[in-house]
Amino acid sequence: MANAKEVELLGLWVSPFVRRVEWALKLKGIPYDYIEEDILNKSPLLLRLNPVHQTVPVLVHGGRVVSESFLILEYIDETWKHSPLLPRDPYERAMARFWASVAESKVLENAWIAMCSEEGEEKERAIELATEALGHIEGVIRGKAFFGGEAIGYLDLAVGWVSLWLPVWDEVGSMKIFDQAKYPATAAWTGRFIEHPVIKENLPPRDKMVVYFRDKRSRIMASKSHA
Ligand SMILES: N[C@@H](CCC(=O)N[C@@H](CS)C(=O)NCC(=O)O)C(=O)O
């Protein structure tokens, strides 16, 4: 087991990418030091540790640096093997990675685009792509407690943002990608996910999130209209 000095995480309180790494560390009981970043004024430390993407999360373990949240989850799972996140079966592992990447590239990215777009064709198209992909995710969770089976696993952590961030983005973007009536299995799963004690204690406050994303949206809209 690592001691606290061994593991450091550079993060941002409101980031879904950072939270999934924190959830993994907490589920495995790995102590870590958390360093909050100001992504509008990035620290020399962040720029030095993650010069390629300059994004959080960044995990530092015994002086070695890993960036990109999905790669960090894999690194954590391979380094601390107890309470495994990824399934053992190679096919199941491939499927967990496949659906994580679908959720990220189709649901998350399009939900973000939709939230940050004015009413119109671009927004409609993004909503369509996100909802279509969410429909596929609904098929994956149907009949299961968690994507990982009986316990939270890699795919639960990957899709975890749907439980809180997506409803907030829907509110801020005046849209309804996550229609609970349309995706009842996903809705039931978000209820279970959010009630898990580790997750429940490690969620940002919803009201602060709304303020943060409203501001973020305005800034992005303003920069688009000046482009
Ligand atoms: N694909 C990355 C995305 C990370 C990301 O976009 N992080 C945001 C915070 S939510 C960030 O650091 N943004 C700073 C920037 O883009 O300049 C991951 O999964 O780690």
Side-chain angles (χ1 to χ4, degrees), residues 12 15 17 20 39 42 54-57 68-69 104:
L12 168 71
S15 166
F17 314 107
R20 62 170 67 123
I39 57 162
K42 294 176 185 172
Q54 307 186 351
T55 51
V56 289
E68 289 297 307
S69 60
E104 200 83 344

Side-chain angles (χ1 to χ4, degrees), residues 11-12 14-18 20-21 37-40 42 46 50 53-58 67-72 104 108-109 112 165 169 212-213 216:
L12 168 71
V14 77
S15 166
F17 314 107
V18 171
R20 62 170 67 123
V21 171
E37 266 297 320
D38 175 359
I39 57 162
L40 297 177
K42 294 176 185 172
L46 174 62
N50 189 6
H53 296 302
Q54 307 186 351
T55 51
V56 289
V58 176
S67 59
E68 289 297 307
S69 60
F70 286 147
L71 302 183
I72 299 174
E104 200 83 344
L108 186 144
E109 285 184 17
W112 181 259
W165 282 257
W169 294 359
Y212 178 92
F213 286 116
K216 187 87 185 172

Side-chain angles (χ1 to χ4, degrees), residues 109-190:
E109 285 184 17
N110 283 303
W112 181 259
I113 291 169
M115 182 186 77
C116 299
S117 307
E118 297 285 6
E119 293 301 323
E121 223 174 276
E122 185 191 24
K123 188 177 184 105
E124 286 314 310
R125 179 78 187 129
I127 292 175
E128 204 178 289
L129 289 170
T131 49
E132 191 187 311
L134 202 53
H136 290 296
I137 304 284
E138 170 79 4
V140 180
I141 190 62
R142 202 173 288 133
K144 291 187 197 160
F146 293 105
F147 288 96
E150 288 309 305
I152 289 181
Y154 174 89
L155 187 51
D156 295 274
L157 301 185
V159 184
W161 68 277
V162 165
S163 63
L164 182 59
W165 282 257
L166 188 52
V168 166
W169 294 359
D170 270 345
E171 182 180 330
V172 171
S174 309
M175 56 199 192
K176 197 161 189 184
I177 292 173
F178 189 18
D179 181 342
Q180 308 234 342
K182 223 167 121 190
Y183 309 110
T186 308
W189 164 79
T190 60

Side-chain angles (χ1 to χ4, degrees), residues 210-221:
V210 172
V211 172
Y212 178 92
F213 286 116
R214 283 224 165 96
D215 176 64
K216 187 87 185 172
R217 179 179 193 267
S218 315
R219 286 166 189 263
I220 291 172
M221 304 280 251

Side-chain angles (χ1 to χ4, degrees), residues 4-15 18-19 21-22 25-26 31-39 41-49 55-61 65:
K5 285 217 178 66
E6 258 193 286
V7 181
E8 288 176 321
L9 178 68
L10 275 72
L12 168 71
W13 67 274
V14 77
S15 166
V18 171
R19 288 289 172 172
V21 171
E22 294 204 82
L25 290 168
K26 303 244 178 194
Y32 61 96
D33 286 334
Y34 178 81
I35 303 162
E36 178 75 10
E37 266 297 320
D38 175 359
I39 57 162
N41 182 21
K42 294 176 185 172
S43 72
L45 178 67
L46 174 62
L47 300 178
R48 179 165 64 77
L49 296 179
T55 51
V56 289
V58 176
L59 185 88
V60 188
H61 177 216
V65 184

